[in-house]
Amino acid sequence: TPPVPRNSATRLTGRKNLKTYRQRLNLQELKHWSLNPAAVHHQRTELASFVDVSAELSLTRSTLLPGQLLHFDYSPKHYVFVVSAALHSLLPILPPFHGRHFNSCAVVGNGGVLTGSGCGQRIDTADFVIRCNFAPTTGYVHDVGNRTSLTTFNPSIIDGRYGGLLTANDRERFLNRLQELDGAVLWIPAFLFHTSAVITRTLVDFFLENKSRLGVQLAWPGPLVGHITRFWRTRALAPKRLSTGMLMYTIASAFCDEISLYGFWPFAWEPISGRPLPYHYYARRGARFTTAWQEAHQLPAEFRLFQQLHGQGALRLHLGSCT
Ligand code: CDP
């Protein structure tokens, strides 16, 4: 499939660009796809020379000691995080699904392109379903499904959506949401920014207090994100930070044969009709597309890589309707 133009998302909203882009993105071509086991294998072995994802999906009780100092991936070195006994007790003995392998994985990005897609059922049939940033499924099940095997959970979500867990009501809401995810892995990248340090301690206390009522498995990645970042640099992708979706695809590529991507479309218009799209599928009605991600991510560059990998049969990119 020919590449997407090297424009910013803002410029891509223009009618002229939309027309050019439609000519280039052949959706029929996207539909005719077959898995190429050699391409899957190639991607996996190249990644394996940078990182053992299965071993590094989470820090473990034996890889860290209480009192040990951690640094943050994206903060200056003088910021430190002391591993408390409480956090240490929440670390898994082995990383979740260590050494396991899955035939099919759905990696669900949060793009507004999922709205009206009717992809929910198809997503839920995958052996392993990965979601990003604790995105809601209730109210969107027809388009996004409701199974979750793993979701990323940046501790800042506590501040943004659960009032810092300061009220009984916020705590109850958060607990209920976690209980809906029983059995899933909550993948918590707590050591990226020093600004998450305080809220991470609140989160740790909350997990300890509610341990007996929770069925989610916790994963706390350490150097994994840095290793994945170095891997993509070798493919000319070097943003300030990789997107959560790119991290999740990369992780999936280590243990999953057939990977389908949904909700990856960082552009302001729907690929077929050209109607305007919000950035997230769960955005308020009438919300405008946002380009806030441009400060940190290079989503169009990541999308071009996904398109290439789709063309090679290493992953399957779903755009448009599943029905
Ligand atoms: O944490 P981050 O800001 O990267 O992600 P998000 O906004 O919660 O969305 C999850 C992922 O979906 C992103 O990391 C992107 O990879 C993908 N996405 C996309 O491709 N197009 C969009 N319009 C929105 C998200």
Side-chain angles (χ1 to χ4, degrees):
T1 314
V4 181
R6 284 188 165 271
N7 289 358
S8 76
T10 332
R11 279 155 66 209
L12 280 168
T13 57
R15 289 277 125 190
K16 187 161 157 275
N17 283 316
L18 169 57
K19 205 167 147 225
T20 325
Y21 186 74
R22 269 215 213 116
Q23 282 163 1
R24 294 190 191 190
L25 180 80
N26 185 336
L27 285 169
Q28 282 311 318
E29 214 171 276
L30 277 184
K31 285 203 162 141
H32 294 130
W33 176 90
S34 56
L35 180 73
N36 176 357
V40 171
H41 180 75
H42 176 73
Q43 187 69 7
R44 187 174 298 149
T45 27
E46 296 241 308
L47 177 66
S49 63
F50 284 80
V51 58
D52 180 351
V53 171
S54 173
E56 295 212 22
L57 196 67
S58 177
L59 296 166
T60 61
R61 256 176 259 179
S62 56
T63 49
L64 273 192
L65 291 172
Q68 197 170 327
L69 287 189
L70 295 180
H71 296 275
F72 298 90
D73 283 340
Y74 299 125
S75 294
K77 276 287 169 261
H78 58 269
Y79 287 104
V80 291
F81 188 91
V82 184
V83 178
S84 63
L87 170 60
H88 188 260
S89 74
L90 290 175
L91 296 174
I93 291 173
L94 275 180
F97 54 92
H98 184 249
R100 300 247 332 251
H101 188 85
F102 297 89
N103 289 330
S104 60
C105 288
V107 182
V108 188
N110 289 335
V113 72
L114 274 170
T115 305
S117 66
C119 286
Q121 250 182 359
R122 185 144 357 141
I123 290 172
D124 280 350
T125 58
D127 295 336
F128 199 88
V129 180
I130 301 183
R131 299 186 191 271
C132 298
N133 296 328
F134 216 50
T137 52
T138 309
Y140 309 96
V141 173
H142 182 66
D143 293 329
V144 308
N146 65 3
R147 281 187 51 228
T148 301
S149 316
L150 180 150
T151 181
T152 70
F153 186 88
N154 194 311
S156 64
I157 293 172
I158 292 301
D159 274 335
R161 291 190 234 161
Y162 296 94
L165 297 179
L166 291 173
T167 69
N169 181 37
D170 289 329
R171 298 171 80 81
E172 196 60 29
R173 272 194 314 118
F174 184 47
L175 185 65
N176 290 341
R177 177 76 180 103
L178 287 173
Q179 284 171 338
E180 286 169 13
L181 290 169
D182 261 8
V185 172
L186 208 61
W187 190 81
I188 311 169
F191 312 115
L192 298 182
F193 305 100
H194 67 284
T195 46
S196 312
V198 173
I199 201 68
T200 296
R201 296 197 192 285
T202 305
L203 192 61
V204 165
D205 286 349
F206 182 89
F207 286 139
L208 277 181
E209 282 154 25
N210 293 286
K211 212 171 175 182
S212 61
R213 298 200 274 171
L214 288 175
V216 286
Q217 303 177 59
L218 306 181
W220 307 81
L224 173 68
V225 173
H227 296 320
I228 293 179
T229 301
R230 277 189 285 285
F231 165 71
W232 282 110
R233 277 199 203 126
T234 64
R235 307 265 179 108
L237 180 67
K240 230 191 215 171
R241 296 197 303 275
L242 291 170
S243 78
T244 307
M246 181 48 110
L247 287 174
M248 289 304 108
Y249 158 70
T250 315
I251 286 173
S253 71
F255 58 79
C256 200
D257 286 340
E258 184 164 343
I259 302 175
S260 298
L261 261 47
Y262 300 85
F264 284 76
W265 179 254
F267 307 109
W269 30 267
E270 209 271 334
I272 303 167
S273 67
R275 73 184 156 80
L277 279 181
Y279 186 67
H280 287 135
Y281 71 78
Y282 49 82
R284 271 179 298 102
R285 246 174 196 285
R288 306 258 311 264
F289 189 84
T290 154
T291 51
W293 52 264
Q294 280 176 328
E295 285 170 27
H297 301 322
Q298 287 176 7
L299 297 187
E302 290 185 359
F303 185 81
R304 277 194 298 276
L305 279 164
F306 289 139
Q307 259 194 312
Q308 269 170 27
L309 290 163
H310 173 100
Q312 294 161 12
L315 61 78
R316 182 167 194 182
L317 198 50
H318 283 267
L319 290 170
S321 165
C322 285
T323 51

